Amino acid sequence: MAQLLEGARNLGWVLLNSFLRFIFVFINNCVAIPSYCLYCILLQPLRVMDSRTFWLIEGIMFKWMLAMVSQWGWVAGYTVMEWGDDVRPLSEEEAMVIVNHQATGDVCTLMMCLQDKGTVVRKMMWLMDHVFKYTNFGLVSLIHGDFFIRQGKAYRDKQLIYLKDHLDRYYHSRDRKWIVLFPEGGFLRKRRETSQAFAKKNSLPHLTHVTLPRLGATQVILKTLGPQQENGCLGTEASTLHPSQSGSKAKGLQWVVDVTIAYSKARPMDIQTWIFGYRPPTVTHVHYRVYPIKEVPVETKPLTDWLYQRFVEKEDLLAHFYQTGAFPPPKGQKEAVSRAMTLDPVQLCVIQFLAFASGYLWYSVLQYLYCCLF
């Protein structure tokens, strides 16, 4: 009887906590998203006169919006542990980021772990499924200039044309530095069976923790944003030195950042968990590996092989992690070193204060205008 009472008490606490978190997130969205949109509308004259300053201001607000999303998980005890290469010195370099895709929580995890990477968040462009356009955050991403891609053979060719046009129009004009995409083209649980059947039919590696990536968007990005091609690879304008060793700043993409996300006990986290916080505190592990752009081919067959090899490596990384609880050490090292990614609580409090103050300001202005008109 005592155990039943204790279980009921714990369940009640979880439900109450989830309800309160939902109310907070709902209010957060109601004040932050309209404020972001209204400021962007109000600043349109600045966009015409000085677009660089406009996108600087918009980028700062965009980073604050993503910091709020990060905070929802952080206060629930969802933290990030980072492994592999240090990507912070690349924050002012142009890079393409390829990520394995398991659930909607992957996006939230990236929003959190990139918060301390300099100007990356405010200068990045996301490629995401078109359904995200119709979510609460869709309007923000639309204003920021992210690209929404439709999946399926019927749309594939046209979508790649639209993507190239989008990159030509918005990537450099809005001073973007990093572009993030999920080459698998869908969640692991939805694509695994199809991917394994395709691999078996074409004598390709059998993958369990990732799926075989799709080439289209990756190739368009490399051909559109990469430096001049030489012998089927992207040109040598991009430095092979790490940014901390080189003061030069090449034009076009200079790096590919290969990101592998691993969840505790192989249980991916979705956006609902991030919002409601009903899962116990957990650590998500993120592994980075950086490749100079000159090592990346752009022609179809070599690029396909290169991309497949990256996901075979991801499979090995994840298999090792799920067996041992840690990623394997880099070549030449005996032990892998991890580092905890932390958010600044003072900064988060300031951002929340500004969001609610801004929401109240706009409410007062709109209420005054309504009273004047009616």
Side-chain angles (χ1 to χ4, degrees):
M1 188 65 181
Q3 289 181 338
L4 288 175
L5 289 173
E6 183 66 23
R9 189 181 297 113
N10 291 337
L11 177 61
W13 167 248
V14 169
L15 292 174
L16 177 62
N17 179 60
S18 297
F19 175 74
L20 293 175
R21 283 178 57 85
F22 172 76
I23 295 298
F24 174 76
V25 171
F26 178 77
I27 296 173
N28 221 184
N29 278 306
C30 287
V31 298
I33 294 177
S35 294
Y36 168 90
C37 297
L38 286 168
Y39 281 125
C40 288
I41 294 171
L42 189 66
L43 291 172
Q44 285 304 303
L46 177 63
R47 181 180 177 181
V48 175
M49 294 184 293
D50 186 354
S51 63
R52 189 177 183 86
T53 302
F54 171 84
W55 291 114
L56 171 65
I57 297 171
E58 184 277 336
I60 293 171
M61 293 192 295
F62 185 78
K63 182 176 181 178
W64 289 353
M65 296 288 292
L66 269 58
M68 291 181 195
V69 177
S70 304
Q71 184 182 8
W72 301 344
W74 185 68
V75 296
Y78 305 147
T79 56
V80 171
M81 190 69 71
E82 297 180 315
W83 305 72
D85 295 335
D86 183 4
V87 298
R88 284 173 294 185
L90 278 66
S91 63
E92 291 299 326
E93 308 276 346
E94 289 190 34
M96 179 179 71
V97 183
I98 56 175
V99 193
N100 62 311
H101 207 9
Q102 301 179 62
T104 50
D106 298 341
V107 176
C108 301
T109 298
L110 285 174
M111 287 180 179
M112 175 183 285
C113 66
L114 295 178
Q115 281 293 320
D116 67 344
K117 307 300 186 293
T119 61
V120 163
V121 174
R122 66 179 178 86
K123 290 187 176 184
M124 73 194 312
M125 179 182 286
W126 296 76
L127 264 66
M128 59 188 78
D129 193 280
H130 79 286
V131 297
F132 284 98
K133 184 189 295 187
Y134 308 107
T135 65
N136 60 327
F137 212 77
L139 185 57
V140 173
S141 293
L142 203 61
I143 294 172
H144 185 68
D146 298 327
F147 183 76
F148 301 94
I149 190 165
R150 292 182 69 94
Q151 304 293 342
K153 291 182 180 179
Y155 306 102
R156 192 170 298 162
D157 293 338
K158 282 188 176 181
Q159 288 299 299
L160 296 179
I161 295 172
Y162 295 153
L163 173 59
K164 185 182 186 309
D165 180 64
H166 186 88
L167 295 174
D168 287 335
R169 292 174 61 190
Y170 300 124
Y171 188 82
H172 291 297
S173 66
R174 299 187 180 185
D175 193 27
R176 299 295 176 245
K177 295 294 184 184
W178 285 26
I179 182 165
V180 181
L181 72 154
F182 301 92
E184 291 164 290
F187 298 140
L188 174 63
R189 70 179 187 276
K190 293 183 177 181
R191 290 209 62 241
R192 178 158 42 200
E193 193 173 316
T194 304
S195 175
Q196 290 175 345
F198 178 83
K200 184 177 181 179
K201 182 179 178 181
N202 294 276
S203 301
L204 295 169
H206 180 86
L207 305 176
T208 302
H209 304 299
V210 294
T211 64
L212 290 171
R214 292 170 175 169
L215 180 68
T218 304
Q219 189 173 39
V220 169
I221 291 168
L222 290 172
K223 286 188 173 183
T224 306
L225 303 180
Q228 186 177 359
Q229 297 180 36
E230 294 182 4
N231 301 320
C233 292
L234 292 167
T236 54
E237 287 185 35
S239 173
T240 58
L241 295 175
H242 200 273
S244 60
Q245 299 171 291
S246 174
S248 62
K249 208 168 195 179
K251 294 180 180 179
L253 293 175
Q254 299 148 68
W255 307 93
V256 173
V257 180
D258 186 2
V259 179
T260 304
I261 299 175
Y263 293 97
S264 178
K265 300 179 181 178
R267 291 178 59 206
M269 189 177 297
D270 54 29
I271 186 66
Q272 295 94 323
T273 305
W274 201 266
I275 291 173
F276 291 104
Y278 45 73
R279 186 182 294 187
T282 185
V283 180
T284 301
H285 298 260
V286 178
H287 183 279
Y288 304 99
R289 187 170 180 186
V290 175
Y291 297 90
I293 201 69
K294 68 171 295 184
E295 295 181 6
V296 184
V298 291
E299 298 306 319
T300 301
K301 181 61 169 67
L303 178 57
T304 301
D305 294 340
W306 186 89
L307 203 55
Y308 280 178
Q309 185 58 38
R310 300 292 73 78
F311 277 78
V312 169
E313 290 173 1
K314 286 179 181 291
E315 175 77 12
D316 294 338
L317 285 171
L318 290 168
H320 188 281
F321 177 85
Y322 293 136
Q323 289 174 1
T324 66
F327 285 111
K331 291 182 179 179
Q333 297 184 20
K334 294 183 178 180
E335 187 178 353
V337 178
S338 62
R339 50 196 178 273
M341 185 274 156
T342 58
L343 296 174
D344 183 353
V346 175
Q347 182 185 50
L348 293 176
C349 289
V350 170
I351 291 172
Q352 288 290 352
F353 171 79
L354 291 174
F356 281 95
S358 180
Y360 178 76
L361 172 65
W362 281 112
Y363 172 78
S364 301
V365 170
L366 294 175
Q367 186 183 45
Y368 174 77
L369 292 175
Y370 178 84
C371 292
C372 290
L373 294 172
F374 303 103

